[in-house]
Amino acid sequence: MIRAAVLPAVGAPLEITGIELPEPGPGQVRIRLAAAGVCHSDLSLSNGTMRVPVPAVLGHEGAGTVVAVGEGVTHVAPGDGVVLNWAPSCGACHPCALGEVWLCDNALSGAGNTHARAADGRELHPGLNVAAFAEETVVAADCVLPVPEGVPLTDAALLGCAVLTGWGAVHHAARVRAGETVAVFGVGGVGLATLQAARIAGASTIVAVDVSPEKEGLARAAGATEYVVASETTAREIRKLTGGHGVDVAVECVGRAVTIRTAWESTRRGGRTTVVGIGGKDQRVSFHALEIFHWGRTLAGCVYGNSDPAADLPVIAGHIREGRFDLGALVTERITLDGIPGAFDAMLAGKGGRALVVF
């Protein structure tokens, strides 16, 4: 038996309890977790904004050490440090054939599998494929990537979602160019990664926006040159900071209709608005036809940073080794499994950056 955070039903409190985890079968890997990040997507799974089969072991951003491998697994071996990849690409579907591996039709095909059993015999599913809120997990071999050289194993957990998403939002989705102006809405784990990525891309003015005044220090340490506390005048303030034009790129990391709309209004004529945040179906964003024509802005979604983890992780690792990207700066709290419900509450309250479960 190992300890894990189990979601018994949508909307129900998490249960920190013992589960029975099987040994890896063919094409599977068993991992002892070193750390797991608490992402807003986990909260979205628990409250039903995103749907997964339940009961489930949550957690999708993690890293650890390989304990055992099943038949046919050759790219990792016991003792190797690995990063979990919750959205592996199949390489065969239509999006994969187009090179858009982040849109793989089969990325979450493993989420409906039986992952483990609870002490009372209930079958448990693996959240977003990898079930990282547990002392150990068993995943498909294509859900693990070797930890890049020079990256601490515990901090490497953040590479599995927050960093890839923030990095990709800047470098792949929005394609920020040196000298451009950028606004980042939401200074949580993904927002902090996005700010660092914008700084590395050579953005000139970088405006961080959040509801919490207390996050200004975090934002500026990550690369923000300006900080705006969210209000009804946010778009006007951002235009004032950019010569009256608005930013070249706005990245929304919250997933709320009002924030998406504000990010759009903060973007200059002909600029790009990229939406990273995951909102519910009740979050409706409205535009009238004339403004779409007049402003000539691009509004685009962004899934997992439009990243290819196998290609992007070595690039990001180079920036980490050279001191340009600081993984530790994303983490504002290190907790145990028992602290995950409290981390959910903090996210709902808009507090802190990334909470990291350390095993």
Side-chain angles (χ1 to χ4, degrees):
M1 299 288 284
I2 61 166
R3 296 183 79 229
V6 175
L7 178 68
V10 172
L14 285 181
E15 298 174 355
I16 312 300
T17 185
I19 66 171
E20 184 179 349
L21 193 66
E23 290 303 312
Q28 292 185 321
V29 180
R30 182 165 181 149
I31 298 148
R32 181 178 300 112
L33 272 296
V38 183
C39 179
H40 205 282
S41 296
D42 299 308
L43 180 60
S44 296
L45 293 171
S46 72
N47 64 25
T49 300
M50 297 170 63
R51 294 193 177 189
V52 292
V54 290
V57 179
L58 295 187
H60 64 282
E61 180 184 85
T65 302
V66 175
V67 175
V69 300
E71 181 183 349
V73 177
T74 58
H75 73 296
V76 294
D80 288 351
V82 294
V83 177
L84 297 178
N85 175 17
W86 63 270
S89 55
C90 70
C93 67
H94 185 62
C96 285
L98 295 173
E100 299 172 351
V101 296
W102 55 91
L103 298 178
C104 176
D105 290 336
N106 302 305
L108 294 178
S109 60
N113 294 343
T114 298
H115 172 70
R117 290 187 181 275
D120 61 7
R122 286 176 299 165
E123 292 186 348
L124 304 175
H125 301 288
L128 290 177
N129 281 330
V130 296
F133 286 167
E135 294 169 330
E136 295 188 11
T137 188
V138 173
V139 302
D142 58 3
C143 287
V144 298
L145 294 166
V147 171
E149 183 181 350
V151 179
L153 183 60
T154 299
D155 290 348
L158 301 166
L159 295 172
C161 184
V163 174
L164 276 170
T165 300
W167 176 267
V170 168
H171 291 272
H172 299 317
R175 298 184 183 275
V176 174
R177 298 181 290 267
E180 289 192 311
T181 55
V182 176
V184 177
F185 290 76
V187 184
V190 172
L192 288 168
T194 304
L195 288 168
Q196 291 202 49
R199 172 176 47 76
I200 291 170
S204 52
T205 300
I206 303 175
V207 185
V209 183
D210 199 275
V211 296
S212 172
E214 289 77 21
K215 291 187 180 182
E216 182 172 358
L218 282 173
R220 289 190 181 277
T225 61
E226 308 289 343
Y227 192 81
V228 173
V229 177
S231 71
E232 292 181 355
T233 64
T234 294
R236 192 182 313 152
E237 291 179 60
I238 291 175
R239 287 195 295 271
K240 189 179 297 184
L241 291 168
T242 53
H245 305 293
V247 290
D248 297 303
V249 172
V251 182
E252 199 274 357
C253 303
V254 181
R256 295 183 62 231
V258 65
T259 318
I260 295 169
R261 179 71 210 193
T262 303
W264 164 268
E265 292 175 357
S266 302
T267 306
R268 69 165 174 83
R269 195 176 187 190
R272 290 102 70 200
T273 305
T274 298
V275 179
V276 173
I278 301 173
K281 293 180 179 179
D282 61 324
Q283 296 293 313
R284 300 279 181 170
V285 187
S286 297
F287 307 91
H288 60 71
L290 182 59
E291 70 176 307
I292 293 174
F293 161 77
H294 173 76
W295 289 103
R297 297 165 175 147
T298 300
L299 177 68
C302 176
V303 178
Y304 202 7
N306 293 9
S307 292
D308 178 352
D312 286 322
L313 285 185
V315 175
I316 297 168
H319 290 290
I320 294 169
R321 288 191 295 268
E322 295 297 323
R324 290 186 290 269
F325 198 107
D326 183 358
L327 287 176
L330 275 62
V331 180
T332 52
E333 188 177 18
R334 295 178 187 263
I335 60 176
T336 65
L337 272 175
D338 298 286
I340 295 175
F344 278 7
D345 292 339
M347 278 193 289
L348 284 170
K351 296 180 180 178
R354 198 52 128 217
L356 191 66
V357 181
V358 179
F359 295 93

